[in-house]
Amino acid sequence: MGFFIFGGELMKKAYRVKKSSEIEAIIRHKKSVGSKHFVLYTKKNHGQNHFRFAVSVSKKFGNAVERNVAKRRVREIISKLDIDDCYDVFVVIKNNANTISFEMFQKEITSLAIKLKIMR
């Protein structure tokens, strides 16, 4: 436990931003882009040699099972994106995202990452 697959290799939890102070720093940086279902915030993380990310979903989204499924979907999508190593990414899942399919999750998050220019 504590690992998940990343492009054919094991991805450690070191790739996640966990501290609320670090998440607040990403939000304060104010580089973001949003869609109807998601908001992505980014900040350069010059101290790391790999990208890191965090996912947030409100309790209004649904029950714990629905929230966890949404977070797992986002983690899967983020792990498959070719994000540049120098970024921290914070993904906010909006309440109305519980009505869309995995393919729509993937399409929207990928297009937001491209708009932010965080992909290699």
Side-chain angles (χ1 to χ4, degrees):
M1 193 156 161
F3 298 94
F4 59 99
I5 301 299
F6 174 62
E9 64 185 56
L10 239 37
M11 184 172 173
K12 298 179 182 176
K13 282 196 177 183
Y15 285 84
R16 296 195 200 162
V17 179
K18 284 294 196 183
K19 294 182 181 176
S20 62
S21 60
E22 292 176 334
I23 292 171
E24 290 170 8
I26 295 169
I27 293 171
R28 274 196 310 269
H29 188 256
K30 294 187 176 142
K31 184 163 183 182
S32 67
V33 66
S35 71
K36 186 176 177 183
H37 302 106
F38 304 97
V39 180
L40 263 65
Y41 296 90
T42 61
K43 179 179 184 271
K44 291 234 178 187
N45 66 354
H46 296 288
Q48 300 290 329
N49 59 355
H50 54 77
F51 81 92
R52 300 182 312 157
F53 69 97
V55 181
S56 174
V57 59
S58 167
K59 286 190 176 185
K60 293 178 182 176
F61 185 87
N63 65 26
V65 173
E66 293 167 335
R67 292 192 304 271
N68 288 332
V69 167
K71 288 189 280 187
R72 280 196 303 271
R73 284 179 170 185
V74 171
R75 283 189 208 117
E76 174 70 19
I77 293 163
I78 293 288
S79 71
K80 288 198 162 88
L81 293 178
D82 192 19
I83 296 176
D84 194 9
D85 289 339
C86 66
Y87 287 101
D88 285 343
V89 180
F90 179 52
V91 181
V92 177
I93 304 171
K94 293 183 179 180
N95 298 338
N96 59 355
N98 62 358
T99 61
I100 63 174
S101 66
F102 179 79
E103 289 76 23
M104 284 298 297
F105 260 73
Q106 195 166 19
K107 184 187 286 186
E108 281 195 43
I109 291 173
T110 304
S111 70
L112 293 175
I114 291 168
K115 282 183 188 177
L116 280 171
K117 298 178 181 163
I118 60 173
M119 310 258 295
R120 286 186 202 148

